[in-house]
C-alpha cells in the first residue's frame, strides 16, 4: 500500500534475541525509521495478518488504509488542528493467545494510541478486548458475537448487529418477500449450520421462535467445519424438501462443497431459496473457487456491505486492491477509521479516555454514519450500535449486491420461483 | 426407502472420499514403513502439492488445453515430480541427519529429533506458503465438481448421485496405489526399499545404498500424497494451512491399516472416509470426526498391529 | 585378500576390539572362534562398515576400506552373512536372493548363481515364493548363505551359521560350505562356536578373546591345543 | 550426584533461577513483556508435565492438549456457571486432569511405541469436537471489577508472573524430588528397559498410571491457569494440535528427560516466537514462522537431544579436559570382596526353591523351549548351558514371568507362579540380570543400582543404603558417583549384578554374565558370584560356554534345541558324549582319539 501502515517500532528492538541475525534483512521495513510527525494521532488495527485467517485481515487492512488516507486528505481532525491519523498494524495471528499477546503489545508499546479496530474472529475480539478494556483503549469491532457487548465492558463498541438480532430482523422480511413472489408464505424451513459461535447465534432465534415466525423446522443439522464432503448433508436437505434453507457458513471450503453439492443435486440457483449469514457466502475469494453462476440467487445476511452512495470509495478500493468489490471487511474498517476521526473531532483531544467518552455520547447521521447500515452512529450503554441492523446481500448476475436495507440497496431482491 | 437412499448416498460419498484419503495415507505409510519416521510435515507437503497442481494447471493453461474435465487430473499427476524432488531434497539435507544409521547413539533412537525437525519443517512450509502463495483460498477449476451421475434404482424411487470429480479422482487414486504396489513388489528398486525397511543392516551388507533408498522413499511418499492433494484440490478450496486438516486423517488411516503396510494404509484411509460419512447416519453430524477417533482407538486397542499390520513392530 | 592391522573398534563409549590383526589369503578358508562377547561379530561389522573403526587398518584386495562407505563394500566383493540370519522377513525367498544380487557382479551372474545355489540348497527352489520370515531356522540359514553367494563375492563372511540349529542341520550347512569352498574356490571367513566343524573345514583359525587375538594356527595345530580344548569344553 | 534429598546442590540452581527471574520480572514495566514473562513459565510447566510422562518413561504423548484443555474448560466453566474462583478452580482443574490421565492411561498403555504416540493424538482432537458439539465455542471469564484479587484478576500483571513463577518453582522442585526419589528411579528404569524394570520388582503398569495421572494433573492445572491469563477459552485454543505440539517442542528443544529442558526450551522459544511475531508479523506475514521453524531445525541439527544435553556434554568435556575432579573416585578396596566363607554345595536332599515342570513355549511355530523340567535346590549354584539359540534366555523369561509358557508349570517354594508378573516374583525374592546391559549412561552408578532397591525399601534413604550395600558386595564400593556411561565392561556387569542384589533376592538368575570379559575379569566376577552364593543366595546362571562355569557351578542343566540334553555334576556333563557333540560337533569326537 502507500506506506500508511506503520509497523510497531522502538521497544521491539530490545526483544530481538536469538533470531536477530537471521532476520536482520527483513527488519528494514518501510516506514520503521520514521518519527511520528507532531500533528498526528495514533490509531490501531489489530487483525490476523498471518496464519489461517490472514486473508480476512488483509482485506480489513486495505479498507482501513484507504480510510486513513481519505481522512488525512480531507483535512484530518479539524478540532486537533488538522492532525493526521497514523495507522498502526498489529498481527493477531491465528490463535486467541496470539491475538491477546498482540493486543497486550499494542497497549504496552503504544500508550498514545487513542482507539483501535479489530479483531475479525469473535474469539479473537473477545480475548483482545479483555486487554483493551483494562487499558481503557476504545476498540471498534464488527464481530457478531453476542458475548462482546454483554460483559459489562465500557471500551468496546460493536458496530454491527449481533448475529441473533440479524436473524430476527431478516427472517420475517424474507418470508414476506417469498409470499410476494410466489403467492405462498413458506411454511417449512431447514437449518444447516456450522458450529461456529456466530452461526449458532444466528440460528438460535429461529430454532427457538420458529412458531412465532409461522414456520416449521423440517431439518436441523449442525456440522463442524471444515467439511470434507457435503453429500449426506445435502441429501438430508433433498429428502426433507424445505421451502427455505437457513445456511450460515463461515468457511469458504464449506461454501464451495455445499453450494456445488446443491447444484449437483439440482437444488441450487434458488431452487431451494437459501439464506446464509456472514461473509463467507459473498466473499470475493469465492470467484477463485466456484463458478459465480452457481451462486445465483443465494442470499446472505452480513453486518455491512457495499452500499448505495459509496460508489467512489468502492471504485477506489477496487482500483487499489484489485478486488472485485469491497465487502464487509473493507467497508467496516474504512468506516471505523471515520468513526475514530469523528470521535476525535468531538473529543477535541488526543486521549483514549476522551475518545471513549466521545464514542459513548456520539450520535451522528453524517460522516462516518454513511458507511453503516441504518446510517446512524450511536452506541447504547453496552457499546452496541443502536441502529445497527442486518445488511442483506444477494448474488445477482455473478455479484453479491446489497438488497436490504432500502437506503443502502443497490438492487432489488429477487425470489426465484420454483 | 429414504433411509436406504441416505445410507447409499453416504456410503458412496465415503468410498469416493476414502479413496482419496487412502492415497494420502499410502504416501505417509511408505515413509513410515521404510524409515520409521513420523513425518509431522506430511500434511504440509500435501499442501505444497495442491499448490503445485494449481499453478501447473494455471501456468500451463491446462484448462484451455485439456478442458476443465481432464485438466485437473493431469495437473495433480504433474505435481508428483515436483514434490518428489522437494521430498528427496528434504530427506537429503535435513531428515537424513536425524534418521537411519546416524542416530543409534541418540536418546530414543533420534525420534525426538525427528519430531522436532519435521515440526520445524511444517512451520516453514506453512508460513513460507503464505508468503509464496498468499492466503486467498484457491482451488483448481473443474467442471466436474458439481456434476453427478444419477443412478436410479427401484424405478426412480431411489436416486444416488455419484459426484464425477470425486469418482474420477477415486479411479486415479486406485490406479496409483495399484502402480505403487506393483512397483514395490515387482521392481528391483521397490524390493530394495522393502529390504531396507525390513532390515537396514542386512540391506547394507547386500550393497543396497540405504541412504539413497530413504531419499527415494521420502520423495515417493511425499509425491504420492501430493497427488492425493492435487485430486482433492478441485473440490476443496485450500490455503497454506490446509495440511493440518488432513494430517490427522492420514495418521489415523496409517495406524488403522497397520504401521508400515502400504496396502493396509489404503484400506485404512478408505475406512476412515466411510466412517466419516456414514457416522452422521447415527450420530450428530458434528461428531463425525469424533467417530473417526473413536473407531480408531477401538481398532487400535483390539488389534494393536492395525488391520493389515504384521504382529510385531520391528525392534 | 583381506588384511587387518591393529584394529580398534566399538560402540559408543565401549571399546570391543582392542588391536586385532588378521589375514585371509586368496582362496583360503579361515575360521575365527571365541566366546560370546569376544568381539567376533564386531569384527565382521567393522569389515562390512556398520561399526566405526577407531584406529587400525582394513585392506581388502589392496583397497583401504576406511574410505569405502558400508553400502559400497558389497560391491567390492565382500558378502556378509550376518549372525542370526537377518533375512528380509517380508520378502519371499527369491526376493531375498535377488536382494543379495544387488551388486553389479551379482546381477551379471544372476542366472549362473541362482542355478548354483539352488543346486547346493535344493529346498530353496521348493520354497521360492514363500515369505522368508515363515521358514524354519535351517532353511533361513540356507537363504542367508545363498543370499550372500548371489552377490558373486570374492570373500564370503559367515557369522555363526550354526546358531540355533539342530546338529544335523548345522552339519549339512558346514558340508555345503566346504563344498562351496572346494567347488567355487571361494575365500571364506567364518565365525563359529562349533569349534570342531569350523576348524575341520578351515585351513587356518584364530581364537579371539576379549577383543584380542589369543591364538592362531592351522586347524590341526588348534585342534591339538590344550587351551582350545579347555576354553571350549572346560576339560 | 549420589546425595540425600534436598541437597543444596540440586535445589540451589532452581531457587537461584527463580529468584533471578522474579527480580527481573518485577522490574519490567511494559505490560506486554510482563505477559510474555508470564507465558514462559506457563509453557515451561506444560513442557514439564509432558516431560514427566514422555521424557521419563519414554512413551511419547502427542495428546497432552487433552489434559490442558480439560483444565482450561474446568476453570472457565466453574467460573461462569458456578461462580467459582480460579483460586479453587485451578486445583479442581488439576484433579480433572489427573483423573482424565487415569482414564486415558488405562486403555492406552496397552499400546507401545508409535502406536501409543499416535493413539494419544486422538484424545484431544475428539474432545475438541465434543466441546464444539456441547456448545462451548467461546467461554469468556467474566470481568470482576470489584473483587479482582478474589477472582485472580490483577491490575498489576506482575502478580501473574509471580504466580506462574511460583507454580513453576513448585513444579520444578517437585520434578527434581521425583527424579531423586525411588519413584523417579523406577520411571527411569522403565524408560531404559521395561522388562528389566519389571525384573527388579517395579509394577510398571501401576507406575505408568500414576505418572500419567500426575502429568495430567500438572497439565490440567496449568491449562486452568492459562485460561485465567487468556480469559477466553475456545476448543481450538486449548485442544488444538498446536497445543500438544507446544509441549513437545519446548521439552524436546530444551532437552528431554530433565527438569531444565522444558524451562530452557520455553525461555528461548516463547520470547523468540513473540519477538518474531511482533517484529515481522505485520511487515511480511508468514516470515516469522519461517524464521522460527528454521531456528528450531538449526538447533536440533546441532543439538539433536536438545540444548540442555548439548550444554551438559560440552561442559563435562571441558571439565574432563582441564579439571582433576572428573577423574572417577577410586574404589574402596579390591573389586573382589574378601574371600568368602567356604561354602559347600547343597546335596540332593536340599529343598527345591524353584521347579520347572514340563515347560514349553513356541514362537510363531518355532519351539523355543520344549518340555523342560528341572529343579533348583536352595543354596546351590546351577549352571544352565547350551549353544547359542538353544533357548536359554527364553527359559529365563519363562521362569520369571516375562513370557507365559504354552504348557507346564513353574513352582517357587512349591507355589505355582506360572505367569505371575515379574515384578511380583521380584518381590517374592527372585532377582535377575540381563544379557544386554543398558545402563542410564548419564546417571551415576549408584543411581543405576538404586532402581533395583527401591521397591524393597521403605524410603529413598533406605533404598540408597541398600544400593550402597549391594555395591560393596560386588566390589563397587567407592564408585557411587562415577558415570555409568564411563564404566568398563566388567564394572557394568558388576553394576548390573549389584542392581539385582540391591533387592536382597533369595534367588538370582544371571543371564550370560561373562560375555565379553577377558580371563582375569572372569576370575574376578567368579569370586563375586561365589561370595554372593556363600551368603546363602541361590544362583542360576546361564552361559554359552562351559569353561568358566565348570569352576563355579555345583550342577549343570544342558539345553540344546530347546530341550534338556543332560543334567548333572560338572564332571558328568563334560564327559557326556551328547553334550560334547552339541557343543563341538560330531567331528570333534571323531578326532578326539587323534
Amino acid at each position: 500500500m502507500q506506506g500508511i501502515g506503520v509497523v510497531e517500532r522502538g521497544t521491539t528492538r530490545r526483544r530481538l534475541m536469538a533470531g536477530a541475525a537471521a532476520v536482520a534483512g527483513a527488519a528494514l521495513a518501510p516506514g520503521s525509521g520514521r518519527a511520528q510527525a507532531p500533528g498526528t494521532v495514533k490509531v490501531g488495527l489489530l487483525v490476523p495478518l498471518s496464519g489461517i485467517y490472514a486473508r480476512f485481515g488483509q482485506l480489513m487492512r486495505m479498507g482501513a488504509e484507504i480510510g486513513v488516507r481519505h481522512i488525512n486528505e480531507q483535512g484530518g481532525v479539524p478540532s486537533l488542528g488538522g492532525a493526521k491519523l497514523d495507522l498502526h498494524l498489529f498481527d493477531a495471528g491465528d490463535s486467541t493467545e496470539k491475538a491477546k499477546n498482540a493486543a497486550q503489545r499494542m497497549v504496552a508499546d503504544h500508550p498514545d494510541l487513542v482507539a483501535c479496530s479489530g479483531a475479525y474472529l469473535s474469539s479473537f475480539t473477545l480475548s483482545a478486548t479483555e486487554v483493551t478494556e483494562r487499558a481503557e483503549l476504545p476498540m471498534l469491532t464488527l464481530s457478531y458475537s453476542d458475548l462482546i457487548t454483554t460483559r459489562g465492558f465500557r471500551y468496546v463498541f460493536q458496530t454491527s448487529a449481533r448475529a441473533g438480532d440479524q436473524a430476527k430482523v431478516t427472517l420475517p422480511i424474507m418470508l414476506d418477500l417469498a409470499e410476494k413472489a410466489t403467492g405462498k408464505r413458506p411454511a417449512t424451513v431447514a437449518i444447516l449450520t456450522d458450529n461456529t459461535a456466530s452461526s449458532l447465534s444466528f440460528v438460535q432465534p429461529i430454532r427457538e421462535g420458529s412458531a412465532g415466525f409461522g414456520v416449521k423446522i423440517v431439518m436441523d443439522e449442525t456440522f463442524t467445519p471444515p467439511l470434507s464432503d457435503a453429500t449426506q448433508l445435502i441429501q438430508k436437505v433433498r429428502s426433507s424438501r424445505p421451502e427455505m434453507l437457513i445456511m450460515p457458513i463461515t468457511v469458504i471450503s464449506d461454501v464451495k462443497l455445499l453450494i456445488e453439492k446443491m447444484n449437483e443435486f439440482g437444488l441450487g440457483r434458488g431452487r431451494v431459496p437459501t439464506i446464509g449469514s456472514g461473509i463467507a457466502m459473498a466473499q470475493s475469494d469465492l470467484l477463485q473457487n466456484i463458478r459465480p453462476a452457481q451462486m445465483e440467487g443465494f442470499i446472505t445476511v452480513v453486518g455491512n456491505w457495499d452500499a448505495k452512495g459509496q460508489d467512489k470509495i468502492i471504485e477506489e478500493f477496487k482500483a487499489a486492491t484489485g478486488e472485485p468489490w469491497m465487502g464487509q471487511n473493507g467497508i467496516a474498517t474504512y468506516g471505523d477509521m471515520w468513526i475514530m476521526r469523528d470521535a476525535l473531532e468531538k473529543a477535541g483531544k488526543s486521549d483514549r479516555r476522551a475518545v471513549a467518552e466521545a464514542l459513548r455520547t456520539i450520535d451522528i447521521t453524517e460522516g462516518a454514519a454513511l458507511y453503516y447500515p441504518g446510517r446512524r452512529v450511536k452506541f447504547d450503554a453496552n457499546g452496541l450500535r443502536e441502529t445497527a441492523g442486518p445488511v442483506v446481500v444477494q448474488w445477482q448476475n455473478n455479484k453479491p449486491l446489497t438488497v436490504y436495507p432500502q437506503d443502502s440497496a443497490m438492487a432489488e431482491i429477487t425470489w426465484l420461483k420454483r | 426407502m429414504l433411509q436406504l437412499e441416505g445410507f447409499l448416498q453416504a456410503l458412496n460419498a465415503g468410498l469416493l472420499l476414502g479413496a482419496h484419503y487412502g492415497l494420502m495415507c499410502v504416501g505417509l505409510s511408505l515413509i513410515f514403513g521404510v524409515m520409521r519416521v513420523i513425518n509431522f510435515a506430511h500434511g504440509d507437503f500435501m499442501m505444497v502439492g495442491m499448490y503445485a497442481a494449481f499453478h501447473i494447471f494455471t501456468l500451463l493453461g491446462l484448462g484451455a488445453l485439456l478442458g476443465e474435465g481432464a485438466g485437473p487430473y493431469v495437473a495433480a499427476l504433474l505435481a508428483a515430480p515436483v514434490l518428489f524432488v522437494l521430498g528427496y531434497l528434504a530427506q537429503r539435507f535435513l531428515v537424513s541427519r536425524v534418521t537411519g544409521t546416524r542416530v543409534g547413539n541418540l536418546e530414543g533412537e533420534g525420534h525426538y529429533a525427528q519430531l522436532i525437525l519435521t515440526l520445524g519443517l511444517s512451520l516453514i512450509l506453512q508460513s513460507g506458503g503464505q508468503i509464496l502463495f498468499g492466503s486467498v483460498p484457491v482451488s483448481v477449476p473443474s467442471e466436474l465438481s458439481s456434476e453427478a451421475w444419477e443412478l436410479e434404482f427401484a424405478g426412480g424411487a431411489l436416486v444416488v448421485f455419484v459426484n464425477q470429480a470425486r469418482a474420477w479422482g477415486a479411479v486415479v487414486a486406485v490406479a496409483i496405489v495399484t502402480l505403487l504396489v506393483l512397483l514395490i513388489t515387482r521392481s528391483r528398486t521397490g524390493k530394495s526399499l522393502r529390504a531396507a525397511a525390513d532390515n537396514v543392516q542386512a540391506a547394507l551388507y547386500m550393497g543396497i545404498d540405504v541412504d539413497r533408498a530413504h531419499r527415494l522413499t521420502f520423495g515417493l511418499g511425499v509425491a504420492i500424497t501430493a497427488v492425493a492433494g492435487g485430486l482433492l484440490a478441485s473440490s476443496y478450496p485450500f490455503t497454506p494451512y490446509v495440511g493440518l486438516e488432513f494430517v490427522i486423517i492420514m495418521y489415523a488411516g496409517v495406524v488403522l491399516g497397520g504401521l508400515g503396510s502400504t496396502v493396509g494404509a489404503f484400506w485404512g484411509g478408505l475406512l476412515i472416509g466411510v466412517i466419516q460419512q456414514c457416522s452422521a447416519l447415527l450420530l450428530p453430524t458434528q461428531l463425525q470426526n469424533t467417530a473417526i477417533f473413536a473407531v480408531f482407538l477401538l481398532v487400535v486397542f483390539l488389534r494393536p498391529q492395525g488391520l493389515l499390520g504384521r504382529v510385531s513392530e520391528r525392534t | 585378500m583381506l588384511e587387518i592391522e591393529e584394529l580398534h573398534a566399538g560402540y559408543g563409549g565401549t571399546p570391543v576390539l582392542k588391536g586385532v590383526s588378521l589375514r585371509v589369503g586368496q582362496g583360503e578358508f579361515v575360521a575365527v572362534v571365541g566366546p560370546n562377547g569376544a568381539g567376533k561379530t564386531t569384527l565382521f561389522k567393522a569389515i562390512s562398515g556398520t561399526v566405526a573403526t577407531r584406529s587400525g587398518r582394513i585392506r581388502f584386495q589392496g583397497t583401504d576400506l576406511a574410505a569405502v562407505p558400508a553400502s559400497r563394500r558389497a560391491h567390492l566383493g565382500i558378502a556378509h552373512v550376518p549372525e542370526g540370519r537377518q533375512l528380509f522377513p517380508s520378502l519371499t525367498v527369491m526376493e531375498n536372493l535377488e536382494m543379495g544380487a544387488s551388486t553389479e557382479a551379482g546381477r551379471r551372474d544372476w542366472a549362473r548363481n541362482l542355478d548354483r545355489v539352488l543346486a547346493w540348497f535344493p529346498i530353496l527352489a521348493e520354497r521360492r515364493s514363500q515369505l522368508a520370515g515363515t521358514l524354519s531356522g535351517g532353511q533361513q540359514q540356507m537363504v542367508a548363505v545363498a543370499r550372500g553367494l548371489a552377490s558373486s563375492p570374492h570373500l564370503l563372511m559367515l557369522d555363526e551359521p550354526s546358531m540355533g540349529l539342530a546338529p544335523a542341520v548345522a552339519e549339512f550347512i558346514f558340508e555345503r560350505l566346504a563344498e562351496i569352498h572346494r567347488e567355487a574356490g571361494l575365500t571364506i571367513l567364518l565365525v563359529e562356536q562349533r569349534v570342531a566343524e569350523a576348524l575341520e573345514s578351515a585351513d587356518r583359525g584364530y581364537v579371539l578373546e576379549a577383543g584380542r587375538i589369543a591364538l592362531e594356527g592351522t586347524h590341526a595345530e588348534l585342534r591339538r591345543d590344550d587351551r582350545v580344548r579347555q576354553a571350549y569344553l572346560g576339560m | 550426584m549420589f546425595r540425600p534429598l534436598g541437597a543444596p546442590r540440586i535445589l540451589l540452581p532452581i531457587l537461584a533461577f527463580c529468584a533471578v527471574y522474579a527480580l527481573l520480572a518485577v522490574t519490567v514495566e511494559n505490560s506486554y513483556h510482563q505477559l510474555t514473562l508470564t507465558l514462559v513459565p506457563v509453557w515451561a510447566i506444560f513442557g514439564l508435565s509432558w516431560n514427566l510422562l514422555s521424557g521419563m518413561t519414554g512413551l511419547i504423548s502427542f495428546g497432552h492438549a487433552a489434559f490442558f484443555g480439560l483444565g482450561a474448560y474446568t476453570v472457565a466453566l466453574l467460573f461462569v456457571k458456578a461462580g467459582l474462583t480460579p483460586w479453587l478452580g485451578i486445583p479442581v482443574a488439576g484433579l480433572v486432569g489427573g483423573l482424565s490421565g487415569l482414564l486415558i492411561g488405562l486403555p492406552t498403555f496397552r499400546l507401545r511405541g508409535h502406536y501409543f504416540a499416535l493413539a494419544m493424538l486422538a484424545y484431544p482432537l475428539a474432545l475438541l469436537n465434543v466441546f464444539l458439539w456441547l456448545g462451548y465455542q467461546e467461554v469468556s471469564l467474566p470481568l470482576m471489577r470489584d473483587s479482582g484479587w478474589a477472582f485472580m484478576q490483577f491490575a498489576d500483571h506482575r502478580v501473574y508472573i509471580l504466580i506462574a513463577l511460583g507454580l513453576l518453582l513448585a513444579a520444578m522442585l517437585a520434578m527434581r524430588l521425583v527424579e531423586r526419589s525411588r519413584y523417579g528411579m523406577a520411571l527411569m528404569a522403565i524408560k531404559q528397559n521395561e522388562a528389566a524394570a519389571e525384573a527388579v520388582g517395579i509394577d510398571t503398569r501401576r507406575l505408568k498410571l500414576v505418572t500419567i495421572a500426575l502429568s495430567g494433573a500438572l497439565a490440567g492445572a496449568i491449562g486452568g491457569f492459562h485460561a485465567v491469563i487468556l480469559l477466553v477459552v475456545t476448543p481450538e485454543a486449548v485442544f488444538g494440535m498446536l497445543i500438544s505440539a507446544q509441549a513437545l517442542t519446548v521439552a524436546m528443544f530444551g532437552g528431554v528427560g530433565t527438569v531444565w529442558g522444558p524451562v530452557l526450551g520455553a525461555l528461548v522459544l516463547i520470547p523468540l516466537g513473540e519477538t518474531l511475531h511482533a517484529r515481522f508479523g505485520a511487515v511480511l506475514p508468514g516470515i516469522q514462522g519461517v524464521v522460527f521453524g528454521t531456528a528450531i531445525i538449526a538447533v536440533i541439527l546441532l543439538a539433536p537431544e536438545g540444548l540442555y544435553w548439548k550444554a551438559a556434554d560440552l561442559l563435562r568435556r571441558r571439565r574432563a579436559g582441564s579439571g582433576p575432579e572428573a577423574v572417577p573416585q577410586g574404589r574402596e578396596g579390591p573389586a573382589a570382596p574378601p574371600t568368602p566363607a567356604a561354602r559347600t554345595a547343597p546335596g540332593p536332599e536340599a529343598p527345591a526353591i524353584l521347579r520347572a515342570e514340563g515347560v514349553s513355549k513356541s514362537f510363531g511355530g518355532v519351539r523355543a523351549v520344549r518340555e523342560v523340567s528341572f529343579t533348583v535346590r536352595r543354596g546351590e549354584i546351577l549352571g544352565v548351558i547350551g549353544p547359542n539359540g538353544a533357548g536359554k534366555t527364553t527359559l529365563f523369561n519363562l521362569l520369571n514371568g516375562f513370557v507365559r509358557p504354552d504348557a507346564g508349570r513353574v513352582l517357587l517354594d512349591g507355589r505355582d507362579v506360572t505367569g505371575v508378573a515379574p515384578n511380583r516374583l521380584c518381590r517374592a525374592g527372585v532377582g535377575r540380570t540381563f544379557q544386554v546391559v543398558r545402563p542410564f549412561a548419564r546417571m551415576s552408578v549408584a543411581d543405576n543400582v538404586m532402581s533395583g532397591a527401591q521397591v524393597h525399601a521403605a524410603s529413598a534413604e533406605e533404598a540408597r543404603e541398600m544400593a550402597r550395600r549391594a555395591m560393596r558386595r560386588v566390589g563397587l564400593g567407592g564408585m557411587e558417583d562415577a558415570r555409568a556411561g564411563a564404566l568398563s565392561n566388567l564394572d557394568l556387569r558388576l553394576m548390573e549384578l549389584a542392581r539385582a542384589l540391591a533387592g536382597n533376592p533369595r534367588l538370582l538368575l544371571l543371564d550370560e554374565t561373562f560375555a565379553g570379559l577377558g580371563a582375569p575379569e572372569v576370575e574376578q566376577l567368579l569370586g563375586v558370584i561365589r561370595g554372593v552364593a556363600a551368603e546363602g543366595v541361590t544362583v542360576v546362571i546361564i552361559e554359552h560356554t562351559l569353561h568358566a562355569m565348570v569352576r563355579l557351578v555345583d550342577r549343570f542343566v544342558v539345553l540344546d534345541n530347546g530341550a534338556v540334553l543332560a543334567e548333572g555334576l560338572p564332571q558328568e556333563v563334560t564327559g557326556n558324549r551328547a553334550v560334547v557333540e552339541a557343543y563341538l560337533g560330531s567331528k570333534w569326537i571323531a578326532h578326539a582319539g587323534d
Side-chain angles (χ1 to χ4, degrees), chain B residues 101 105 184-196 198-210 310, chain C residues 12 45 48 50 70-71 74-75 78-80 82 86-92 95 98-103 107 147:
Chain B
T101 43
N105 302 328
I184 59 177
T185 53
R186 300 289 163 82
S187 77
R188 176 172 280 278
T189 307
K191 286 172 197 170
S192 57
L193 294 188
R194 280 157 61 211
D198 266 5
N199 193 326
V200 170
Q201 278 211 334
L204 278 175
Y205 298 151
M206 301 303 114
I208 294 170
D209 186 340
V210 175
R310 268 175 269 138
Chain C
K45 286 184 171 177
S48 44
T50 54
S71 65
H75 299 268
I78 301 176
H80 182 167
Q86 311 261 353
L87 297 185
F88 304 118
S90 67
L91 270 60
T92 64
E95 286 172 339
E98 246 180 274
M99 288 300 103
S102 291
T103 61
R107 291 191 209 192
R147 187 178 64 174

Side-chain angles (χ1 to χ4, degrees), chain A residues 49 97 100-101 109 122 195, chain D residues 30 137-138 226 229 274 285:
Chain A
L49 294 168
E97 179 176 320
K100 161 136 184 168
N101 291 353
D109 293 354
S122 63
N195 63 4
Chain D
N30 181 301
Q137 271 71 2
E138 289 165 354
H226 188 255
I229 304 284
E274 270 305 316

Side-chain angles (χ1 to χ4, degrees), chain D residues 1 61 107 196 199 217 220 283 292 363 370 410 418 449 553 556 578:
Chain D
M1 283 172 80
S61 155
V283 183
F292 195 65
F363 293 108
R370 343 175 160 196
V410 178
T418 317
V449 173
V553 304
F556 273 123

Side-chain angles (χ1 to χ4, degrees), chain A residues 7-9 11-19 22-24 26-27 29-30 32 49-50 58 61 89-94 96-98 100-102 104-105 107-109 121-123 126-127 130 133-134 145 147 151-154 195-197 200 224, chain D residues 30-33 35-36 39 43 68 128-129 132-133 135 137-145 153-154 157 160 226 228-232 234 236-237 242-243 246 267-268 270-272 274-288 291:
Chain A
V7 295
E8 302 162 70
R9 57 176 173 265
T11 50
T12 48
R13 196 147 300 143
R14 264 181 284 127
R15 291 197 303 266
L16 260 146
M17 297 163 67
V23 296
S32 63
L49 294 168
S50 63
Q58 302 292 1
R61 171 187 183 167
L89 295 173
F90 301 89
D91 178 11
D94 53 7
T96 44
E97 179 176 320
K98 282 187 187 151
K100 161 136 184 168
N101 291 353
Q104 198 74 59
R105 192 161 68 228
V107 302
D109 293 354
L121 208 63
S122 63
S123 58
L126 284 171
S127 67
E130 296 283 356
E133 179 70 16
R134 287 166 176 79
S145 171
L147 271 176
R151 291 174 298 174
F153 282 16
R154 302 181 62 240
N195 63 4
T196 57
L200 291 179
T224 310
Chain D
N30 181 301
S31 66
Y32 167 59
H33 295 175
L35 179 60
T36 308
L39 291 174
W43 293 119
F68 187 87
L128 192 156
N129 285 302
L132 284 174
W133 173 62
Q137 271 71 2
E138 289 165 354
V139 179
S140 170
L141 275 63
L143 175 62
M144 310 302 278
R145 285 187 204 277
Q153 296 183 354
F154 312 107
H157 291 209
Y160 290 116
H226 188 255
V228 174
I229 304 284
L230 208 59
L231 294 163
V232 175
T234 65
E236 290 84 0
L242 294 177
I243 299 295
Q246 181 85 296
L267 266 177
V268 175
I270 303 300
L272 175 66
E274 270 305 316
T275 305
L276 288 169
H277 206 77
R279 196 76 191 87
F280 303 110
V283 183
L284 181 55
I287 190 73
Q288 70 268 40
V291 175

